Amino acid sequence: MNIVLGITGGIAAYKAPDLVRRLKERGGDVQIVMTASAAEFVTDTALQAVSGRPVRSNLWDKEAERAMSHIELARWADVILIAPATAEVMARIVSGGAPDLLTTICLATEAPIAVAPAMNHVMWSNPATQANRKVLEERGIHILGPGVGSQACGETGAGRMLEPDTIAAAVFDLGVGKGEGLLTGKKVVITAGPTREPIDPVRYITNRSSGKMGYAMARAAAAQGADVILISGPVSLPEPPGIEVRKVVTAADMFDATHECIGDADIFVAAAAVADYRPADMKKQKIKKNEESMSIDLVRCPDILASVAALDVGPFTVGFAAETEKVDDYARSKLEKKALDMIIANRVGDDCGFDSDDNSVNVLWADGEQRFAEASKTELAHDLIELVARRFYAARGTDTQPRLTVIANTD
Ligand code: C5P
């Protein structure tokens, strides 16, 4: 993986050489781009020694630009990681300004960008910084951390840069490129996110699914070498690189898209929270509020999971069940009723499940179960994909080209 590592001027820059080593240990090729203030905390001599490449810092360095221009650097990168990221660089990226080499590369790249903020906890919680964080997230920039704990300024709070190893693991987890692993050579289809069922041209029924769990499953399957097709309802998540994403809106669209590509799929991960009901007909014009009350006729949406599980040459099927109560009971009855091979159950509610980055689940199958403690959806997805693959191979044997279906709606 080609990594442009942007280092900005925070005290945590002293950890940058260690971060470079961690990225290289995982197979990263690291090109460092540091800002002028970063040079106050760490020397380019140390960084050049660990990265094995001359450090770039000046947009106007003619010789360096001749060797690899800022545009070439922006194209070369599979990922841009900024660690430590100061409040200042976050603000500059938000503004779209490009006064230095690093922010110019950020503007010119199509690669995913991840930032690991590091600053005093009051600076981090300042509304301006939090507003910038939100904008960055909405634009699909990955925010890694910050951690909570004692700070260089002697205070304690949120604002510590995550540990280099944690950052390196997260960067390699962005789903950049396809890995080799348990699912190499397998085709995995995954549905994710909510569906949106129109009432009239301006209103619709939807649910609180963020798509995070399904996207994490897609990245985890790709990391295990699978060819992944991600069929996604409307979410505000960046498209994971190396994964074919098909955007849909309604349950009917999702049903069609699934059946278009399920034919030769080995794995079907339906992580979507598909609407159970949709308005019987979409009004052509905006409904006027003339009456004191009104009702909307709803009809059932097609059950994508059930339709895939009922295919004659049926794939190995795993469903997710998001429940607010009696989670295991409801999940097991769904497992049986829908004739699934596995079901992944989790509790959802105001305090957990939907937009959260963490989740805890219980996986059930005919004669067993496995509980997974609360972890980030990314970590959890890796463990779940591994378990699914193991259960699948146990059911079908390792020397065949098995078909596997995972169906989920926990997020
Ligand atoms: O029956 P219930 O909706 O709770 O089942 C949840 C599972 O069924 C999830 O995996 C979800 O993706 C899937 N599902 C579906 N099509 C629907 C409703 C649910 O694929 N219309």
Side-chain angles (χ1 to χ4, degrees):
M1 190 195 292
N2 293 341
I3 303 166
V4 166
L5 172 61
I7 304 173
T8 64
I11 178 63
Y14 83 88
K15 295 183 180 172
D18 188 23
L19 175 57
V20 175
R21 299 217 33 203
R22 306 290 167 169
L23 293 167
K24 290 190 65 139
E25 270 166 20
R26 287 178 155 79
D29 196 352
V30 182
Q31 171 63 58
I32 291 164
V33 175
M34 67 198 287
T35 61
S37 40
E40 301 288 329
F41 296 95
V42 64
T43 68
D44 60 355
T45 319
L47 292 167
Q48 177 165 331
V50 282
S51 69
R53 285 172 169 270
V55 172
R56 297 287 299 268
S57 54
N58 186 355
L59 183 56
W60 308 112
D61 181 335
K62 288 195 182 63
E63 208 171 303
E65 279 286 307
R66 245 194 314 276
M68 177 142 52
S69 75
H70 57 282
I71 297 296
E72 283 167 322
L73 260 178
R75 287 196 198 119
W76 173 84
D78 290 318
V79 63
I80 312 254
L81 166 66
I82 305 181
T86 56
E88 163 66 16
V89 81
M90 289 172 66
R92 252 184 284 151
I93 297 172
V94 166
S95 75
D100 54 35
L101 180 59
L102 180 57
T103 45
T104 305
I105 291 171
C106 288
L107 262 190
T109 194
E110 287 179 337
I113 300 177
V115 301
M119 66 198 75
N120 165 272
H121 68 101
V122 183
M123 291 172 79
W124 173 248
S125 58
N126 186 293
T129 310
Q130 286 306 307
N132 288 337
R133 174 195 58 80
K134 194 159 175 279
V135 173
L136 293 177
E137 276 178 339
E138 282 163 2
R139 290 186 194 159
I141 291 178
H142 304 267
I143 310 286
L144 311 177
V148 180
S150 65
Q151 301 203 281
C153 53
E155 296 175 11
T156 300
R160 278 171 65 96
M161 187 173 86
L162 294 180
E163 288 311 314
D165 204 40
T166 310
I167 295 175
V171 165
F172 277 82
D173 219 25
L174 291 178
V176 182
K178 224 161 62 105
E180 285 279 313
L182 282 171
L183 296 173
T184 298
K186 303 289 177 284
K187 176 176 168 183
V188 178
V189 178
I190 300 178
T191 65
T195 63
R196 194 181 272 178
E197 311 301 328
I199 299 170
D200 68 15
V202 294
R203 303 174 177 105
Y204 52 78
I205 299 173
T206 189
N207 60 63
R208 290 176 54 196
S209 168
S210 64
K212 284 179 184 170
M213 191 70 219
Y215 274 57
M217 295 288 279
R219 293 196 306 269
Q224 286 288 1
D227 294 321
V228 180
I229 297 181
L230 178 60
I231 301 170
S232 173
V235 296
S236 49
L237 296 173
E239 291 191 10
I243 290 174
E244 182 183 334
V245 181
R246 297 195 189 178
K247 296 267 175 130
V248 296
V249 176
T250 65
D253 296 342
M254 192 173 271
F255 181 95
D256 292 344
T258 301
H259 282 279
E260 265 166 35
C261 56
I262 203 69
D264 60 345
D266 298 289
I267 300 176
F268 174 46
V269 180
V274 186
D276 292 321
Y277 293 91
R278 65 171 171 82
D281 63 327
M282 183 189 125
K283 301 290 179 220
K284 297 267 174 303
Q285 306 301 335
K286 185 178 169 190
I287 300 169
K288 306 308 283 179
K289 50 176 179 298
N290 296 329
E291 310 297 331
E292 272 315 301
S293 67
M294 66 171 287
S295 53
I296 299 170
D297 268 345
L298 299 176
V299 293
R300 282 291 288 271
C301 292
D303 192 314
I304 303 165
L305 160 56
S307 69
V308 172
L311 290 173
D312 279 348
V313 187
F316 183 91
T317 58
V318 183
F320 274 49
E323 306 289 352
T324 54
E325 57 169 352
K326 297 186 192 156
V327 180
D328 285 2
D329 290 351
Y330 286 146
R332 195 163 282 285
S333 81
K334 228 167 264 180
L335 176 79
E336 286 158 14
K337 218 159 87 195
K338 300 197 187 195
L340 307 176
D341 295 297
M342 289 175 79
I343 195 152
I344 299 166
N346 76 306
R347 195 173 74 76
V348 288
D350 281 343
D351 56 335
C352 62
F354 289 110
D355 203 28
S356 138
D357 289 328
D358 298 334
N359 209 352
S360 63
V361 300
N362 193 19
V363 185
L364 312 169
W365 57 96
D367 54 358
E369 69 180 273
Q370 188 168 334
R371 224 166 258 284
F372 292 85
E374 175 139 351
S376 75
K377 285 180 176 173
T378 301
E379 276 174 72
L380 199 57
H382 281 286
D383 292 346
L384 288 172
I385 286 289
E386 225 181 287
L387 174 62
V388 164
R390 274 197 284 115
R391 294 297 315 154
F392 164 68
Y393 288 122
R396 307 282 169 98
T398 50
D399 50 347
T400 56
Q401 283 278 310
R403 298 159 62 81
L404 172 62
T405 299
V406 184
I407 294 156
N409 75 343
T410 56
D411 46 342

